[in-house]
Amino acid sequence: MTPTGTPAAPLVRSVSDIVRGVLDGDFGPDPRAQRISLAFVTTQAVRHRGRATGYRNQVLGLRLAAAVGSCAVEPGSLPADAVDECVGAPVADLLRHPLPSVRTAALDAYLSHVLPHTPANGALPHPLPAGNSLVKSRARARAVVDLLPLDPPVRRVLVVGVVNSLLERLRERGLDHVPCDLKGGTTEWGEPIRTDTHAELDDCDALLVSGMTLGNGTFEPLREHALATGKPLVAFAQTGSAVLPRLLGHGVTAVSAEPYPFFWLDGGPGVLHLYRAPSVSDPRPDHGPEEDA
């Protein structure tokens, strides 16, 4: 029974349920009255020291009050006028925008505003050390991969959204893995990157999934597979960092939420916000920051 004066929690089973709940006012302020004050695009190219390959990122950011919602896109794919269309627009309008990246960033901004990453909302802060880009990347990877459960033991991990530091950490834990990314190619160790994620699902017993799947429309089938099979699904989320925690217990086991500004933007200390579904415990001891090798 809901205590008097306390609103009932919105019924959430999918991303569509979250959007519907926001539009219906179930999460808080009317999204028709919440307007985006700032829209921007962050573009990055990186090659960590000692790594043979690099990559590029482009992220749409939408600011609502003190919160920033984010959605990563393929570099160069965002129309030039998308930023102008977002500035001053009500969140409700942007949740119906034709571009999935805009819809995702708007949803993330709204939820970051009304449900910030605090312990009261289920988040456990996890500090990242200051350091060069590789130090910070490895520290984040350790926090993310260590959200995978120890019991039952994981045998093979499907990695959706290839990040070499995550693959490195999986190797350190002795976990077999299948790297998947729509761009294909090879990993730092010459492993082929698969492009057909769904063809690999049945041969893996855990999923490590980028929040970028929210923006490209590939997340829901992964969540549904994890829910149907009971496989753990751990999300590492710069895109949709405030969205994915709402799906804990509905196919999502744990989330590493990293709202803007991201770890790769400066060399100072940072923080991740870790979420776990209520039934998931973490028997691992707390770890200090990594040393630069």
Side-chain angles (χ1 to χ4, degrees):
M1 183 175 180
T2 303
T4 303
T6 302
L11 180 62
V12 168
R13 295 194 180 96
S14 68
V15 176
S16 295
D17 288 337
I18 299 174
V19 174
R20 190 177 305 112
V22 169
L23 291 171
D24 289 345
D26 295 340
F27 285 89
D30 186 347
R32 294 172 297 182
Q34 305 295 308
R35 293 180 177 269
I36 298 300
S37 60
L38 176 70
F40 59 98
V41 177
T42 305
T43 301
Q44 171 231 37
V46 63
R47 179 175 292 179
H48 297 305
R49 189 193 67 193
R51 291 272 169 85
T53 59
Y55 56 89
R56 295 181 63 219
N57 284 323
Q58 192 169 62
V59 184
L60 172 66
L62 301 181
R63 182 164 183 170
L64 176 64
V68 174
S70 300
C71 183
V73 298
E74 289 300 321
S77 66
L78 195 68
D81 58 358
V83 167
D84 293 330
E85 292 176 358
C86 294
V87 173
V91 168
D93 290 355
L94 297 183
L95 291 176
R96 300 182 177 98
H97 195 278
L99 291 176
S101 55
V102 171
R103 298 196 301 270
T104 300
L107 180 62
D108 191 36
Y110 180 88
L111 292 173
S112 295
H113 175 51
V114 301
L115 291 169
H117 298 294
T118 63
N121 290 323
L124 176 67
H126 180 92
L128 291 180
N132 65 33
S133 61
L134 185 55
V135 167
K136 298 191 74 173
S137 178
R138 283 173 166 165
R140 184 189 74 143
R142 182 166 60 184
V144 170
V145 171
D146 286 2
L147 288 171
L148 289 166
L150 295 176
D151 185 22
V154 171
R155 176 182 60 87
R156 199 172 198 217
V157 182
L158 181 66
V159 183
V160 185
V162 172
V163 178
N164 282 318
S165 290
L166 294 179
L167 303 184
E168 182 181 58
R169 178 58 180 169
L170 288 167
R171 286 167 171 267
E172 290 172 355
R173 278 191 52 182
L175 296 176
D176 191 14
H177 57 271
V178 179
C180 289
D181 198 292
L182 292 175
K183 292 181 290 188
T186 58
T187 70
E188 181 77 12
W189 299 272
E191 304 159 307
I193 297 174
R194 320 291 175 85
T195 57
D196 187 354
T197 299
H198 302 287
E200 308 295 337
L201 281 170
D202 290 339
D203 198 33
C204 295
D205 54 10
L207 291 77
L208 192 59
V209 179
S210 167
M212 194 174 179
T213 56
L214 286 172
N216 64 24
T218 60
F219 175 74
E220 274 298 299
L222 300 173
R223 183 193 66 81
E224 290 170 358
H225 175 83
L227 185 62
T229 60
K231 296 177 184 179
L233 187 160
V234 172
F236 53 102
Q238 294 177 343
T239 294
S241 71
V243 179
L244 289 166
R246 311 282 73 79
L247 295 169
L248 288 168
H250 298 286
V252 177
T253 306
V255 178
S256 169
E258 188 182 357
Y260 191 91
F262 311 127
F263 80 89
W264 37 264
L265 282 168
D266 69 67
V271 63
L272 302 175
H273 306 279
L274 306 183
Y275 294 79
R276 293 181 177 87
S279 61
V280 177
S281 61
D282 181 18
R284 284 175 288 267
D286 187 30
H287 296 286
E290 285 196 356
E291 296 290 331
D292 187 13

